[in-house]
Amino acid sequence: MLKLVRRRYLLLGAVVLSLLAGVYYANFSARDETAVPAGAHFLSDEPRAPAAAPAHTEAPDWHEKDAFVSADNCPTRIDPAPADVDTVPTFKQFDFQPNWMKSKEYWDSQFEERYKKRKAEWADLPLKVIVVPHSHTDPGWLKTFENYFHYQSRVILNNMVDKLQQYRNMTFIYTEISFFAMWWESAHPTKRKIVQSLLDEGRLEIMTGGWVMTDEATVHLYAMVDQLIEGHQWVKNNLNIAPTTGWSIDPFGHGATVPYLLKASGLNGTIIQRIHYAWKQWLAQRQMGDFIWRQNWAGDEDAMKASDMLTHNQPFDIYSIKHSCGPHPQVCLNFDFRKVPGEYTDYSVKAVPIDDKNVREKADLLLEQYGRTGSLFPHNVVLMPLGDDFRYDHDIEWDQQYINYQKLFDYINSNPTRYQNTQIGFGTPSQYFKAIQERMDQMDMQPHTLKGDFFVYSDIFSEGRPAYWSGYFTTRPYWKQLDRDLEASLRSAEILYTVALGRARMHGANRTVQLLERDFERLVRARRSLGLFQHHDAITGTSKAFVMHDYALKLFEGIQDTMTIQSRSAHALLLPPAGLDSPEKPTAKLGQILLSDTDRETYEQQPRKVPILVPHNEPRRVVIFNSLGQQRQEIVRVRLFSPDVRVLDTNGATIPCQVNPVWNASSMLQDRFEILWVADLQPLALSTYVLERIAVNTNLPTRYLLYLIKYLN
């Protein structure tokens, strides 16, 4: 069961994280020697000796050369990566008010002339079109995740199993593992076997393999990696495959981080969609729709080889059939054959079924659009998505799209003279990347290299004027903060849980092992809730209000669960080996003895500090966890009911501290105080401090001075 956790930390080892310290206080007497051993360190059952106080040294001379980080004394010098295109200076040169804006189409006479010239060369460089049926299933947007699953995503996947058996040359791709995993849990074993055979045949391809199609602008690196690991582990454990191609067609702008992570995950190509309309035109003019995305820091050959990612940019506005088949949306509307009873849209009105009478006319019209798209690439290979949001949720659409397109494919492929050996059929993105590599090898060409990002994103296809997608960087900030809170709590919980369970097993503490194993599902659920919120309509805040409420409930539940897991795991680590399954300390109460110093009643409220009651002759212990692999010194704040408290280390030595009054909006609270001290936190360790009540007349230095200033009118 814990294989997942072990693999996770092998993969997360290189991720740099900020300090995530979970502060707890122990609600028991400091004289209880069986509860928490002083100075316990969870990597060892033996207490560590206290660190020696650092010798006093004079303040450094900041004028010395070595006091500054420079190219001369920096231990590692990073050379900028060479690339044909750097997006930052290039973006500054664009015309953001082009003359084609009102028409919403950048296609002009120069593009048309190049297409005609390319078409005359099809005999030597045939047009190859790979049509990719897909359904973009957002894990929450206009509906909640569960509503989308029950009413559409589940139906889409059931239809996929049935129709791909019926149409033996049709293909399909799927991306959102969050939906796929939920469907798989309830799928009949026969359907599971069919899915496995479709994967083996290459007619079904799992794209990216992430838990969601992550946002790329407002997410934190840890959560972005975590949802990718969660999805890849699920795919490997249940389908026994590894994704090879990325599919990131709906995030609102693209950065270089996701391609880098995908390359590190074993993928060899990725597909993007939403970039600035000026970039669309610029790349199309230069036939740079396929490029090698290079990291800015990859300045040497080894770094470039390890991080360069072959990337395909869809050349037109968005992934729907209307906007993807070619440069002219009104023509593309003729080739979306979905006609569901009671559903009236622009495509259902315009598209007509293909028959023997119109097949030649429609084939010519469709191939003109595909040919124009092919002219935007030097290799004349076209990746053509066939789908839209939550498509193929009616079985009739599978029949309509397949039957009509297959008639067009058969007619085109059976008339090589008329269409100059054009090849067209259903396929997958992996087949596309393989095809362009073969073509470019034949042509002795290599894709151009590009470094930088594609922010900020803007489109014009809906209104004919720029619509800049930048508000989501800051919208619904409280949800974004909830996301970060769960990240921190989950990270600490996973580390503590993994080591606590391993320690309990090592010492044969079976009852403790059983209790901890019960928390494993809660840990997975919290991880998946965090992964779900990285979806590009979740952390961005672009979903409906009730959908955002649903996300927040999932995040809040994850925070509560991970805090409980931290408490239980820390308790198991602090107990001596003999006390793990001791009858005097029933493990049924494991974790109840450690309480968090913060509390949050609902997700809509900010967390509040929980004051600690420190009675006379009953000291309290404060346990602090450093989840990082390096030593830290941090200021710890603990809320108190009384100011007459001092801080001791595990050897009984007094620690310098400061006691402050606590204020509300207008006045000082009479029974609330906070105590602060500098904690020396060992790496990946639980550190213990003692809070002890002191007599009021104890000869101590001044605790605080309070100055009240009255302003006179």
Side-chain angles (χ1 to χ4, degrees), residues 213-226:
M213 187 184 296
T214 178
D215 170 56
E216 300 185 27
T218 62
V219 294
H220 189 274
L221 177 64
Y222 166 70
M224 187 188 295
V225 172
D226 208 46

Side-chain angles (χ1 to χ4, degrees), residues 305-454:
K305 184 178 180 180
S307 61
D308 282 358
M309 188 62 161
L310 179 58
T311 305
H312 169 77
N313 165 58
Q314 283 285 286
F316 305 116
D317 295 314
I318 202 168
Y319 49 82
S320 65
I321 299 173
K322 175 182 178 180
H323 291 282
S324 64
C325 94
H328 306 313
Q330 293 306 312
V331 176
C332 294
L333 279 173
N334 289 275
F335 299 99
D336 190 348
F337 297 102
R338 175 182 169 119
K339 287 184 182 293
V340 176
E343 182 179 278
Y344 298 98
T345 61
D346 49 359
Y347 57 80
S348 64
V349 171
K350 193 165 186 178
V352 297
I354 304 300
D355 54 30
D356 293 340
K357 296 180 180 179
N358 65 10
V359 64
R360 177 174 175 175
E361 173 193 352
K362 295 296 185 181
D364 289 350
L365 189 62
L366 179 64
L367 214 58
E368 285 179 355
Q369 292 299 304
Y370 288 174
R372 289 183 172 93
T373 303
S375 70
L376 303 179
F377 302 86
H379 45 65
N380 211 28
V381 181
V382 175
L383 173 70
M384 192 53 59
L386 182 65
D388 203 344
D389 292 348
F390 293 95
R391 284 301 192 89
Y392 302 98
D393 59 341
H394 291 73
D395 57 356
I396 190 175
E397 182 182 3
W398 290 82
D399 302 329
Q400 292 164 342
Q401 302 287 18
Y402 175 81
I403 291 172
N404 286 288
Y405 270 95
Q406 192 59 49
K407 288 179 180 178
L408 292 167
F409 296 168
D410 291 342
Y411 185 82
I412 293 170
N413 291 330
S414 61
N415 288 276
T417 302
R418 179 177 180 83
Y419 299 112
Q420 301 185 55
N421 296 317
T422 293
Q423 303 172 25
I424 185 170
F426 294 111
T428 64
S430 290
Q431 293 172 351
Y432 171 78
F433 283 116
K434 181 179 179 180
I436 67 170
Q437 193 63 58
E438 292 175 352
R439 280 282 179 94
M440 298 194 82
D441 288 344
Q442 294 172 4
M443 301 167 66
D444 195 22
M445 295 179 61
Q446 289 296 324
H448 290 282
T449 55
L450 177 145
K451 66 178 181 179
D453 59 52
F454 293 104

